[in-house]
Structures are given as C-alpha cells and as structure tokens.
Amino acid sequence: MPPVNDLPGRPLRVIAVRSAELLEAHLPAWRRLVELALDRNPFFEPPMLLAAMRAFCSQRAEVALVYAPQRQHPDAEPVLCGLFPLRTYRGRGVAMGIWTHSFAFTGTPLIRRDFATDTLHAMLDWLRDERAVRTCRFSKLPVDSPVHRALWSVIQRRELSYWIEDQHLRARFERAADAEAFRQRAVPRDVRRGIARSRRQLGEQGVVGTRVLGPGDDPAPWLERFLGIEASGWKARAGTALQQNNEQRTFVFEALTALHANAELAMLELTVDGQAVAMNSALLCGDGGYYFKIAHDERWQRYSPGAVLELEFADWLHTSTDVAWLDSCADPNHPMIDRVWDGRRLIQTFWLATGRRFGKSLLTMLPMLRGVKRSLKTAR
C-alpha cells in the first residue's frame, strides 16, 4: 500500500493509556497504523499487546499513542502515527523504556512510515517535557529495522548521548529458491545427516508425519497439546511451564487464538503414530515473521524431534507460504536453531539521554551500576 501524505503542519499530540480497555477505544486507528507501519511488529499489534496488557500489565506499564491532525482536513479525526508500549524503570522522572514482557521478543515501536521522523521527535519531546524523563531505554531493536535507522538518525540530529547496553546476533530464516536449496545452503552436511538419522530412528518407532494448523481448524486443541508437551519435562519440574501459570496460559490462548483468526499464526506438529512429539508456533506478518515457541516431548528427546521439526518447518515455509524471512527470537548461540538457520540478525538494546538536566550524568553511571550488579550476583 503506498504511503499516505495527508499529514500535519500542526504539532503532534501524545496521550497515554494504562489498560487494555482504554486501548481498545483506539483499535480502528491502531489497525490503520499497522497497515502503514514502517516496520511490522506482531508483539505490539492488537492480538498480542491487548492480551499482554490484560495478563501482565502493572502500574508501571502504559502505552503512549502519538496522534497528528490531518493537514487538509483539520476538523477530521486525527491520525495515529506511533504506538510505544512503555514502562517506568527507575521511578518517575528518572527512566522509562519500551515495555517488552517475557513473550515480546522484539521492541520495535509501531511508527507510521510516512511520518517516522516527526513521530520520533514528538515522542522524545513528550518524554523529556511532559514526563520529565532523563533517560530512555529502547530494548531488543533489530539493527536492520527501518525504525532503528530512523531512530538513530533522530538521535544524531538531536545530538543525544547514548549507551549500548547489549547487542548480539540471533538466528534468522532466510528463504532460498526452494526447500532443497535451503537445506544445502543453510544446514551443514553433518547436521543434515544427523537429522536424517534421527528421522529414520523415529520411523522405527512408528509412522512419522507432520500436521499443520489449517485456517478452518479450531486452535484450542492445538494449544492444549502444545502446553501439555511443554509441561512434559524440565520446565514443569522447575515450575516454569506455561501450563503452571494462569496468567501466561490465559495470554497464550487469547493472543494465539486471535492471531489464528487473522491468519497470522503458523503451528506445526511432528507426530509418531498420530501422537505429537514436537510442536512449534510462529507469528506471520507481511513478508516475514517471528518465531514464538517450540516444545518437544522429553520422552522422545534422544531422537531430536525439535531439529527434525525445524527442517519440516523450513520445507513448509518454502512450499506453502511466501515468507521471505523469520526471526528466530532465540538466545544467541542457540544450540539447535543456529545449526539449521544460517541467517543472522543483530539485536540491540540501548539507553539514551533525553536532553533533560542530569540525563547525561545518569547515562554515564549505568555501565558502572551494571558492573556492580554483576559483581554482587557473582558473589552471591
């Protein structure tokens, strides 16, 4: 869709909402913003963010909405140009940052592509002047994102001080000419052989198959099976399985059900004699997407069902979708996904001083405070 340039000559306005119910009042404008976003981020789009706010939102979290009046129609409804989930880090007036909960693996704010620079300037002005914030944290931003480039341009133009807290590479699926070309390019020969051997060994236990969640399927049984598999091993023993936490379980069901209704959820399962031994889920948006979760039944662990499923998933992406890339959302140097996806994406978390008094001084203290925290943790 081409950019729309019917935007303002008057100042932008920022408002903040603190609940899913208040945010729902902005749904039509929010959906339009998603259509015109400089970069899609499913974690900050309606299905995921509304579910997250209902499940996890605390008094420290809110969503800032940047609105602009229409230039040619000043009496018309204002246009939503930016959406920034935020949280307070160090108390009012000290630090705020992008809110990324445990299930939001990238923190790219939604910004209208034809008004990106003005939206970022308005947001930084609001943080500095209205909220008296001295430092701001942008977390889990892909460096190849156009939002990151636009933000970095604004930082340089405003001559703001910054500190890069963390940056790392994470695996990324990058489409090839076909599935076989992908296997040859992305997966080392010894890894391909090992996965093929695991699949043969699974076949010795029963009939191996792959099922895909279809558009007309009810996602609820799939989600129940997924949560059951995830709770079949060490996570349940550690008390961290999604099934054991009511808020997390509710979030997963609400968010993924809504994504399925929007045709934005992919789920595959690897089966042996019809029994699921591994399952995965991914969020699709435009020509790309983001991995969400993968789980396998630990009773089948010696056959590496997760790795077998990953190659089946890559085949499916090539044969049944137009997806060009998929962010793994995995930790750096992940022992499984790094072996089967050869693309890499640089992810960055950084702080910047807003220009308010003492902001730069606070920024210079952050590396030192982080070092002290690490030392105390090591000592404990």
Side-chain angles (χ1 to χ4, degrees):
M1 184 178 297
V4 177
N5 293 308
D6 184 22
L7 286 177
R10 290 184 287 169
L12 279 69
R13 180 170 61 99
V14 182
I15 61 175
V17 297
R18 293 181 176 272
S19 70
E21 291 69 30
L22 292 174
L23 190 57
E24 283 179 328
H26 301 266
L27 265 175
W30 189 1
R31 291 188 178 118
R32 180 63 172 164
L33 173 61
V34 170
E35 293 176 2
L36 296 173
L38 184 61
D39 192 15
R40 293 280 302 273
N41 179 0
F43 302 106
F44 291 168
E45 294 174 14
M48 294 288 282
L49 186 55
L50 287 173
M53 291 192 74
R54 278 189 272 267
F56 310 128
C57 194
S58 68
Q59 291 299 314
R60 295 190 299 170
E62 60 189 301
V63 177
L65 304 165
V66 183
Y67 274 97
Q70 296 190 42
R71 181 173 54 198
Q72 297 178 6
H73 308 282
D75 295 328
E77 287 292 320
V79 174
L80 182 60
C81 295
L83 181 143
F84 297 75
L86 298 171
R87 60 159 290 186
T88 301
Y89 277 92
R90 299 288 188 272
R92 182 174 174 81
V94 178
M96 292 189 76
I98 299 295
W99 177 50
T100 54
H101 52 84
S102 300
F103 302 97
F105 303 115
T106 188
T108 305
L110 296 182
I111 298 174
R112 188 166 159 141
R113 61 175 174 259
D114 57 327
F115 214 59
T117 300
D118 289 332
T119 299
L120 288 166
H121 278 299
M123 188 65 200
L124 291 173
D125 288 344
W126 179 78
L127 286 169
R128 181 193 63 200
D129 300 332
E130 298 297 321
R131 287 304 178 89
V133 170
R134 290 170 172 79
T135 59
C136 182
R137 185 178 189 255
F138 287 85
S139 57
K140 304 177 186 176
L141 262 64
V143 173
D144 62 358
S145 161
V147 169
H148 185 281
R149 292 193 292 269
L151 177 57
W152 214 250
S153 175
V154 168
I155 290 171
Q156 292 175 329
R157 183 172 179 180
R158 295 171 76 113
E159 298 182 344
L160 299 178
S161 299
Y162 62 88
W163 171 58
I164 298 175
E165 176 186 345
D166 175 73
Q167 59 181 9
H168 62 270
L169 293 171
R170 67 186 184 198
R172 167 173 147 141
F173 164 84
E174 294 176 354
R175 192 183 190 92
D178 54 43
E180 183 57 32
F182 174 83
R183 287 175 179 243
Q184 295 293 329
R185 185 203 75 202
V187 188
R189 186 177 181 183
D190 62 324
V191 175
R192 290 200 307 272
R193 286 179 170 175
I195 294 175
R197 182 170 58 251
S198 294
R199 202 181 198 288
R200 287 196 303 272
Q201 291 171 343
L202 279 171
E204 293 168 1
Q205 310 303 312
V207 178
V208 180
T210 305
R211 287 195 293 248
V212 181
L213 175 65
D217 295 340
D218 180 1
W222 284 72
L223 297 174
E224 288 288 3
R225 287 199 299 276
F226 179 84
L227 293 180
I229 288 175
E230 199 228 18
S232 68
W234 69 268
K235 286 190 176 182
R237 294 191 294 273
T240 60
L242 298 173
Q243 191 79 280
Q244 297 170 301
N245 184 301
N246 287 334
E247 289 181 347
Q248 293 179 358
R249 176 185 166 85
T250 300
F251 165 76
V252 168
F253 264 81
E254 180 182 345
L256 298 196
T257 300
L259 284 163
H260 178 62
N262 292 347
E264 294 176 335
L265 174 67
M267 288 193 79
L268 276 72
E269 61 182 357
L270 184 72
T271 64
V272 176
D273 286 342
Q275 175 192 351
V277 297
M279 297 183 71
N280 72 355
S281 55
L283 320 178
L284 307 181
C285 55
D287 66 344
Y290 292 83
Y291 221 124
F292 185 61
K293 291 285 183 181
I294 184 169
H296 69 272
D297 188 328
E298 285 196 1
R299 290 172 297 182
W300 298 83
Q301 185 168 350
R302 61 175 169 168
Y303 303 113
S304 303
V308 174
L309 179 60
E310 281 314 307
L311 283 196
E312 298 288 337
F313 184 45
D315 289 352
W316 178 80
L317 288 171
H318 281 91
T319 58
S320 302
T321 78
D322 295 322
V323 168
W325 60 269
L326 200 76
D327 189 326
S328 70
C329 300
D331 293 335
N333 303 314
H334 192 278
M336 187 270 287
I337 202 71
D338 277 27
R339 297 190 304 156
V340 295
W341 288 4
D342 62 338
R344 295 293 180 267
R345 198 178 204 191
L346 183 62
I347 306 298
Q348 200 172 70
T349 294
F350 58 90
W351 293 79
L352 59 89
T354 63
R356 198 169 183 87
R357 191 180 181 189
F358 300 130
K360 188 174 180 180
S361 300
L362 285 170
L363 201 65
T364 60
M365 294 173 61
L366 286 175
M368 179 184 68
L369 293 173
R370 189 184 188 199
V372 170
K373 183 178 179 180
R374 283 179 171 175
S375 298
L376 291 173
K377 185 177 180 180
T378 302
R380 284 198 298 270

